[in-house]
């Protein structure tokens, strides 16, 4: 065991290197040498605040906190009491309504009510009469005039604007035919607007019949309505030159026809036919539509080659061996389709009866597309 002498020898410990920088020094430094030393024991600061006032404010804060807690508790208690009263009132109302519903009295049905089964049979006749009267009124409204009558001044203005293109004049509409499509100008009675609607005519157009339908795209027809006639006329002119109804691509035009051969002769420049000749073309086309072919004027086709070879055989001339190869290269006449006739101005006519078909000339063209 360690003795007291051994324990005392601990305090006599000496390090092996007394100059070790890590070893703390046990010597006391002078106060004058330490620049950062500051002793606040020599200074005394008096407070400008009254200590009694501070204590009073602290007491007030404590009292206010207590009052706020009491208010919160009181409001919660009052809310609970109100909710209990509300539930009791609702329960009382439910019990009262249940007592009112449970009655031992015999209730008779209302004699004037339509829910009464006796009234349902008795009033059936009157209800049927009311329905009949309603349907009659609806029929009258439907049969009403859809189009208003145009004034003479309005009709005259339309005729003077389009002149030879006018093909039909009535009190309610004026129909115009321009190249492939036509246009119908009228006034609607429902919205009191002037309307222009694009129209499609049959092949070939007959000036006497004027069969046409409105041009539809999907579920809507091509037309515009305006409150003034001037705007409607301007829109008609715009539709004649632009869009689907104005930009017509023609394949070629009719330059002549042959009733014996059932042929149309086509070229780049259209031939203007008189009304009498155009009427013959219309009749011939309707009677022989499936047999009529279109032959290019001044262009040799397989039909011309076959006729030439036939004529040479009759005269005894020799046929070139290249004729068979040439026949394979030449195209036959095409079917007559998309044939549209339209009126043009007659330079010899000086009158103003433009609706008369005899006072115009007519051209026929083949459209490239429908």
């Amino acid at each position: 065991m360690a003795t007291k002498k051994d324990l005392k020898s601990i305090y006599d410990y000496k390090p092996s290197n007394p100059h070790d920088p890590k070893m703390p020094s046990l010597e006391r430094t002078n106060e004058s040498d330490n620049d950062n030393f500051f002793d606040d024991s020599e200074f005394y600061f008096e407070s400008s605040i009254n200590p009694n006032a501070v204590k009073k404010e602290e007491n007030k804060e404590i009292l206010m906190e207590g009052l706020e807690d009491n208010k919160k508790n009181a409001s919660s208690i009052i809310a609970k009491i109100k909710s209990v009263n509300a539930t009791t009132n609702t329960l009382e109302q439910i019990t009262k309504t249940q007592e009112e519903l449970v009655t031992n009295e015999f209730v008779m049905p209302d004699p004037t009510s339509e829910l009464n089964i006796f009234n349902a049979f008795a009033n059936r006749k009157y209800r049927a009469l009311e329905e009949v009267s309603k349907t009659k009124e609806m029929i009258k409204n439907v049969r009403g005039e859809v189009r208003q009558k145009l004034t003479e001044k309005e009709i005259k203005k339309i005729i003077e604007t389009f002149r030879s293109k006018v093909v039909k004049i009535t009190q309610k509409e004026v129909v115009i035919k321009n190249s492939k499509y036509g246009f119908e100008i009228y006034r609607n009675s429902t919205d009191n607007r002037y309307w222009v609607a694009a129209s499609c005519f049959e092949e070939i157009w007959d000036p006497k019949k004027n069969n046409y339908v409105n041009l539809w795209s999907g579920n809507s027809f091509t037309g515009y309505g305006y409150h003034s006639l001037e705007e409607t006329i301007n829109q008609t002119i715009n539709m004649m030159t632009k869009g689907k109804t104005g930009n017509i691509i023609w394949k070629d035009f009719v330059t002549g026809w042959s009733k014996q051969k059932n042929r149309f002769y086509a070229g780049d420049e259209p031939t203007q036919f008189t009304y009498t000749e155009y009427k013959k073309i219309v009749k011939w086309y309707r009677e022989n539509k499936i047999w009529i072919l279109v032959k290019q004027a001044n262009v040799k086709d397989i039909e011309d080659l076959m006729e030439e070879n036939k004529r040479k055989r009759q005269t005894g001339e020799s046929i070139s061996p290249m004729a068979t190869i040439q026949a394979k290269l030449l195209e036959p006449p095409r079917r007559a389709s998309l044939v549209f006739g339209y009126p043009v101005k007659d330079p010899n006519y000086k009158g103003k009866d433009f609706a008369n078909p005899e006072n115009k000339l007519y051209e026929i063209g083949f459209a490239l597309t429908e």
Side-chain angles (χ1 to χ4, degrees):
M1 291 181 64
T3 60
K4 291 182 179 180
K5 291 181 179 181
D6 296 332
L7 293 172
K8 288 180 180 180
S9 63
I10 294 170
Y11 298 101
D12 296 332
Y13 170 76
K14 290 182 180 180
S16 60
N17 186 10
H19 300 289
D20 189 0
K22 295 181 180 180
M23 185 175 65
S25 63
L26 301 176
E27 295 179 359
R28 189 172 182 180
T29 57
N30 295 326
E31 294 178 358
S32 60
D33 296 336
N34 191 2
D35 296 333
N36 296 327
F37 180 77
F38 178 77
D39 188 7
D40 58 350
S41 61
E42 297 178 358
F43 298 92
Y44 175 75
F45 298 94
E46 291 184 358
S47 176
S48 61
I49 301 170
N50 190 2
N52 295 325
V54 174
K55 289 180 180 179
K56 287 180 181 179
E57 289 180 357
E58 290 177 354
N59 293 329
K60 285 181 181 180
E61 290 178 357
I62 292 164
L63 290 171
M64 291 297 290
E65 289 177 357
L67 288 171
E68 288 177 356
D69 294 336
N70 292 331
K71 285 181 180 179
K72 289 179 181 178
N73 294 328
S75 61
S76 62
I77 292 165
I78 291 165
K80 288 179 181 179
I81 292 167
K82 286 182 179 179
S83 62
V84 170
N85 291 332
T87 52
T88 53
N89 291 329
T90 52
L91 290 171
E92 288 177 357
Q93 289 178 358
I94 291 166
T95 53
K96 285 181 181 179
T97 52
Q98 289 178 354
E99 290 176 357
E100 290 176 356
L101 290 171
V102 178
T103 56
N104 296 323
E105 296 179 358
F106 182 73
V107 180
M108 291 293 292
D110 187 5
T112 59
S113 176
E114 292 186 357
L115 299 175
N116 191 344
I117 191 170
F118 298 104
N119 291 334
F121 288 104
N123 297 330
R124 183 183 294 176
K125 180 180 179 181
Y126 299 104
R127 282 198 297 272
L129 292 173
E130 288 178 358
E131 290 178 358
V132 169
S133 62
K134 287 180 180 179
T135 52
K136 285 182 178 180
E137 288 179 1
M138 291 174 66
I139 291 168
K140 285 181 181 179
N141 294 328
V142 171
R143 287 180 178 176
E145 296 295 334
V146 179
R147 297 183 179 181
Q148 295 182 9
K149 291 183 179 180
L150 297 171
T151 61
E152 293 182 1
K153 187 178 180 181
E154 292 171 347
I155 294 171
K156 187 178 180 181
K157 188 175 183 180
I158 296 169
I159 293 170
E160 289 178 354
T161 304
F162 299 102
R163 293 181 173 270
S164 60
K165 297 182 184 297
V166 177
V167 295
K168 182 181 178 182
I169 301 171
T170 63
Q171 292 182 346
K172 296 180 181 179
E173 67 265 349
V174 177
V175 182
I176 300 161
K177 184 72 169 70
N178 178 59
S179 66
K180 181 180 177 181
Y181 295 99
F183 304 94
E184 185 182 17
I185 298 174
Y186 60 92
R187 189 174 187 182
N188 198 343
S189 60
T190 55
D191 55 4
N192 292 324
R193 289 188 179 187
Y194 297 93
W195 282 83
V196 52
S199 304
C200 300
F201 290 80
E202 58 185 350
E203 300 180 13
I204 298 175
W205 166 65
D206 189 354
K208 283 291 184 183
K209 293 184 178 180
N210 283 321
N211 296 327
Y212 63 91
V213 293
N214 292 128
L215 177 62
W216 287 75
S217 58
N219 293 327
S220 62
F221 72 99
T222 305
Y224 301 89
Y226 298 94
H227 290 289
S228 66
L229 182 62
E230 189 69 28
E231 291 179 344
T232 308
I233 292 172
N234 293 333
Q235 181 62 37
T236 307
I237 296 169
N238 190 19
M239 293 172 71
M240 286 181 177
T241 56
K242 296 179 181 179
K244 181 179 179 180
T245 56
N247 296 325
I248 309 300
I249 301 173
W250 297 104
K251 186 183 291 183
D252 43 28
F253 300 92
V254 174
T255 58
W257 63 292
S258 175
K259 187 176 181 180
Q260 292 77 18
K261 296 181 179 180
N262 286 329
R263 294 290 184 271
F264 269 130
Y265 298 102
D268 295 333
E269 294 295 330
T271 300
Q272 294 180 350
F273 301 98
T274 60
Y275 175 69
T276 54
E277 190 175 3
Y278 180 78
K279 191 167 58 173
K280 292 178 183 178
I281 294 171
V282 171
K283 184 180 178 181
W284 163 70
Y285 181 79
R286 289 184 176 175
E287 292 175 354
N288 305 281
K289 184 176 181 179
I290 60 174
W291 307 108
I292 296 173
L293 299 177
V294 181
K295 181 180 175 64
Q296 290 289 330
N298 301 323
V299 176
K300 189 175 182 180
D301 57 4
I302 189 172
E303 193 176 58
D304 296 331
L305 181 63
M306 296 300 289
E307 289 180 358
E308 184 181 350
N309 293 336
K310 185 179 179 181
R311 188 171 57 254
K312 286 181 179 180
R313 289 191 188 95
Q314 290 176 355
T315 57
E317 296 180 10
S318 61
I319 299 172
S320 174
M322 298 294 291
T324 55
I325 299 172
Q326 189 178 4
K328 292 180 180 180
L329 296 174
L330 296 175
E331 293 182 356
R334 69 175 191 269
R335 290 283 180 185
S337 61
L338 302 176
V339 188
F340 298 98
Y342 52 91
V344 293
K345 183 181 178 181
D346 187 0
N348 298 323
Y349 179 69
K350 305 299 181 182
K352 293 185 178 181
D353 188 10
F354 298 107
N356 189 356
E358 297 179 0
N359 300 329
K360 307 172 190 177
L361 298 178
Y362 299 88
E363 294 179 357
I364 303 171
F366 299 97
L368 185 64
T369 57
E370 292 184 359

